[in-house]
Amino acid sequence: MRSTADADDRASLLRSHPRPTLARPGWASLDGDWEFTTGAPGDNPADLTFDQSIVVPFPPESAASGLGVDTCEEPRYRRTFTADPAPGHHVLLHFEGVDHDARVWVNGHLVGGHAGGYTPFALDVTDALRHGEGDTHTLVVAASDDARDLELPRGKQAWTADPEVIWYRRSSGIWRSVWLEEVPALRIASVAWTPLDTDGTLAGSIALAGLPRGASGRHSVEATFTHDGVLLARITLQATGPKVEFQVRLGDARTVPIERLLWTPEHPRLIDVDVKLVSDGAVADEVASYTGLRTVRAVRGAVRINERPTFLRLVLEQAYWPDSQFTAPSLEALRAEAQLIADLGFNGLRMHQMSADPRFLRACDELGLLVWADLPAAQLFTPAALERTTANLTELVARDRNHPSLIAWVPFNESWGIPRVARELRQQNAVVALQALAKALDPTRLALGNDGWEHVTGDVIGVHDYSHEPAKLKRRYLPGVIAATLAWRRPGARRLVVGAPRRLGRTLALEGTPVVLSEFGGVSLDSDQAAWRGYGRVRSASALVERVSALVDAVGPDSGLAGWCWTQLTDTLQEQNGLTWPDRTPKAPIADLRAAITESAQA
């Protein structure tokens, strides 16, 4: 059993580490002041003069970066760092997000790159270090982000000169943390934990790097599972190849009953996992990780967490801050964001057109918030756009698969990037393919197809309905009426479901696909003249609370819905329909808002 101090240190490491589900102590942040300039496509940054400075990881378009430019399609960065790895060790350089294409040099050597603005990458820079010539090294990063390329997955970044309607300011270049990690040559490369049932059966997959051929009998992996300091299981396996896979049963009446280990929104219990790689009797590497014993299924019209129907009370999370844009201003701000969502009475959120910061997901894991994860959308349907969206999905599943809070993948939002999905088979096939890919990569979570309207396939049907008439909402989503609503209602002149209405009704009745009102509400409180007028409007805090209460009451657990997602958490530029102002101050007393959200929406 670990001491309290050790447990506290471990919890602190996992909360602050950029990669909280696989953490080693001693990592080094490279965030802070960098040299900066702008370049041109395909240039050699060695030829440039770095005559400005920037605060990383804030994008150059943000005030927090110290620049605040309107557009920066070719940002260039330079800084020095120190690294003097022990013999036989490697230095990994991690980037949590560079939008969109990145090229990286260390000491003048091109060490690699990455395409994709919303997913992390790591480069082994060991061979580029100047061994024996001191431990100070020069790092240069070149990013390329075409502001008007509609084939790029841009999420809610505007491609017009100025933000308008529901689109926000652009966020180019480095926009998430950069960090260094010294690792042994023989090391743990990744871990994956998959809960298989509600009896505590967990599948583990541990990938190794640097394992020599013919290693049989010399290397082993030990995984230790604990909860609140109580040992649940310890398993030791021989490492004969680059991956070690196993199943383990956690919890029994003699140690901790399984009902006291399951992760739920009400009781978000986390299982600590410590993994050691042993070589010739000595510990070669060890990492800290964690998991949650949580299953999720869509069945008989409900979303079931650990086989218990759970009514979803989600909020649309845009994750945008006034001074730092899509980059959180601090770790504390990320954790405060999750706490605000919980304090308002929501049991989850839809991360809208953004990849979540993994440290935010750690906070959601601790608080019991259920997360739907959108893929950021391109605006055109082309082979290139589809290829980039597919890569995003594959990389995000690999990054976030260990977070119990994450319960659903959303490959497409409405018809973004698939504008003719209602009538073009090729675009329908894209929806089917990405939904199937999500289920193939991650069969233990829900996967939607396209959320909002023109539904093609998915574990859940997501509907966007911004009616502000509670009586109409109530009539549309009555248990016996909801199939007809899906068949005949046309918000924005678009069908809710692609397919013959009569067949649809039978399918819903037979299969019981849950329906979630995945965007609704959208109330602006006395918004200014610059606000987009696409939502309802009230003129006082008390009127806001009344409107929220009335709309939520119309679509609660007694309806035919499996849940809803309120639009949205915060005001964001001209989209001023949040429950809070941009600085996260609630627009009405938080207790009143919480009562409006929860009292008529109890499962």
Side-chain angles (χ1 to χ4, degrees):
M1 184 181 299
R2 293 188 300 272
S3 69
T4 301
D6 289 341
D8 289 344
D9 289 345
R10 189 185 193 282
S12 178
L13 171 67
L14 295 181
R15 286 172 181 164
S16 61
H17 198 283
R19 187 188 55 199
T21 61
L22 194 155
R24 297 178 180 88
W27 63 279
S29 174
L30 296 184
D31 293 347
D33 292 333
W34 290 50
E35 296 175 284
F36 183 85
T37 191
T38 55
D43 62 9
N44 182 354
D47 301 329
L48 301 177
T49 299
F50 288 81
D51 54 0
Q52 297 175 276
S53 63
I54 188 171
V55 181
V56 167
F58 304 116
E61 296 91 344
S62 71
S65 72
L67 296 176
V69 298
D70 289 332
T71 302
C72 192
E73 296 182 308
E74 297 289 336
R76 304 290 183 261
Y77 304 81
R78 185 174 69 185
R79 66 158 291 162
T80 60
F81 67 92
T82 58
D84 187 17
H89 280 218
H90 291 227
V91 174
L92 304 183
L93 176 60
H94 295 266
F95 295 86
E96 291 302 305
V98 182
D99 201 358
H100 175 268
D101 295 299
R103 297 175 291 153
V104 182
W105 290 260
V106 171
N107 295 330
H109 301 284
L110 181 64
V111 293
H114 180 260
Y118 292 91
T119 52
F121 64 101
L123 303 171
D124 188 332
V125 301
T126 311
D127 291 342
L129 302 180
R130 291 189 289 259
H131 299 289
E133 300 180 22
D135 60 359
T136 300
H137 312 280
T138 301
L139 167 62
V140 173
V141 179
S144 298
D145 187 24
D146 187 337
R148 291 169 179 78
D149 186 349
L150 299 185
E151 292 180 304
L152 291 182
R154 305 199 65 83
K156 297 199 74 171
Q157 297 182 62
W159 57 91
T160 54
D162 297 301
E164 59 184 11
V165 192
I166 59 170
W167 312 105
Y168 308 153
R169 296 194 69 200
R170 290 182 287 274
S171 190
S172 302
I174 298 174
W175 68 284
R176 277 198 172 139
S177 288
V178 184
W179 54 287
L180 284 173
E181 183 180 34
E182 182 178 338
V183 297
L186 175 60
R187 63 187 180 274
I188 298 160
S190 68
V191 297
W193 316 117
T194 306
L196 299 179
D197 54 38
T198 57
D199 296 323
T201 307
L202 186 76
S205 179
I206 301 170
L208 307 176
L211 191 72
R213 291 184 179 180
S216 179
R218 295 179 50 207
H219 308 286
S220 63
V221 170
E222 179 184 284
T224 303
F225 301 84
T226 59
H227 175 65
D228 281 348
V230 177
L231 178 65
L232 303 176
R234 179 176 288 118
I235 187 167
T236 301
L237 297 164
Q238 292 297 309
T240 59
K243 187 172 288 187
V244 175
E245 297 183 317
F246 60 90
Q247 290 187 14
V248 62
R249 177 78 174 269
L250 304 177
D252 59 48
R254 293 170 298 174
T255 54
V256 182
I258 186 60
E259 59 268 17
R260 290 172 52 193
L261 291 178
L262 295 178
W263 187 99
T264 68
E266 299 80 13
H267 302 287
R269 306 176 181 97
L270 299 178
I271 309 297
D272 289 331
V273 190
D274 293 293
V275 183
K276 293 181 180 179
L277 173 58
V278 178
S279 176
D280 293 330
V283 176
D285 190 23
E286 54 187 319
V287 299
S289 184
Y290 70 95
T291 187
L293 299 179
R294 187 270 303 126
T295 64
V296 55
R297 288 202 304 151
V299 62
R300 292 197 294 276
V303 172
R304 293 176 176 262
I305 304 297
N306 296 323
E307 298 303 329
R308 183 174 67 86
T310 301
F311 191 81
L312 303 180
R313 303 190 308 273
L314 311 181
V315 66
L316 202 67
E317 165 66 317
Q318 308 284 10
Y320 189 98
W321 281 265
D323 291 333
S324 55
Q325 300 182 190
F326 294 105
T327 307
S330 65
L331 171 61
E332 292 74 22
L334 285 170
R335 299 190 65 81
E337 189 91 336
Q339 188 65 59
L340 174 62
I341 292 170
D343 289 346
L344 282 166
F346 298 104
N347 64 5
L349 61 118
R350 179 178 166 207
M351 180 59 66
H352 190 41
Q353 291 300 297
M354 270 284 294
S355 63
D357 189 304
R359 298 169 300 175
F360 177 74
L361 290 178
R362 167 72 191 195
C364 293
D365 294 337
E366 293 179 343
L367 292 171
L369 294 173
L370 304 170
V371 179
W372 283 22
D374 278 19
L375 292 189
Q379 289 299 315
L380 293 181
F381 182 78
T382 67
L386 187 58
E387 180 181 349
R388 289 161 174 161
T389 302
T390 302
N392 265 352
L393 174 60
T394 302
E395 294 180 17
L396 282 176
V397 168
R399 191 197 72 168
D400 295 339
R401 60 192 169 193
N402 291 325
H403 291 282
S405 58
L406 201 159
I407 65 165
W409 297 106
V410 185
F412 292 98
N413 176 63
E414 298 175 344
S415 302
W416 296 10
I418 44 171
R420 291 184 292 278
V421 68
R423 56 187 182 277
E424 187 173 296
L425 181 60
R426 187 170 65 137
Q427 296 190 17
Q428 295 171 16
N429 286 338
V431 176
V432 171
L434 262 71
Q435 195 269 347
L437 177 61
K439 297 297 288 186
L441 295 171
D442 190 3
T444 64
R445 286 183 171 90
L446 307 177
L448 286 77
N450 52 319
D451 178 76
W453 53 59
E454 297 174 339
H455 171 85
V456 176
T457 188
D459 294 324
V460 173
I461 297 175
V463 174
H464 297 178
D465 188 337
Y466 283 103
S467 173
H468 276 211
E469 297 184 47
K472 280 187 177 180
L473 283 177
K474 192 176 186 66
R475 287 196 300 271
R476 287 171 186 167
Y477 301 105
L478 287 170
V481 176
I482 198 165
T485 296
L486 293 174
W488 303 109
R489 172 126 176 87
R490 292 183 174 234
R494 296 173 183 266
R495 283 184 287 170
L496 286 174
V497 177
V498 174
R502 190 170 296 172
R503 187 178 68 223
L504 167 67
R506 289 199 301 268
T507 299
L508 286 172
L510 291 173
E511 297 183 358
T513 305
V515 180
V516 173
L517 194 57
S518 50
E519 286 186 27
F520 93 117
V523 181
S524 299
L525 170 56
D526 199 21
S527 54
D528 62 38
Q529 293 303 309
W532 182 54
R533 300 296 179 183
Y535 299 105
R537 189 179 182 188
V538 295
R539 294 192 175 276
S540 68
S542 60
L544 173 64
V545 172
E546 291 174 5
R547 183 73 60 87
V548 172
S549 180
L551 292 174
V552 167
D553 186 60
V555 292
D558 292 337
S559 70
L561 296 166
W564 45 254
C565 180
W566 182 270
T567 304
Q568 58 191 19
L569 180 64
T570 68
D571 279 2
T572 305
L573 298 179
Q574 72 283 349
E575 195 173 13
Q576 297 176 14
N577 61 336
L579 295 174
T580 80
W581 305 109
D583 67 357
R584 276 51 181 176
T585 301
K587 293 181 177 179
I590 197 166
D592 294 347
L593 287 170
R594 181 182 180 89
I597 290 162
T598 61
E599 288 183 359
S600 54
Q602 295 298 323

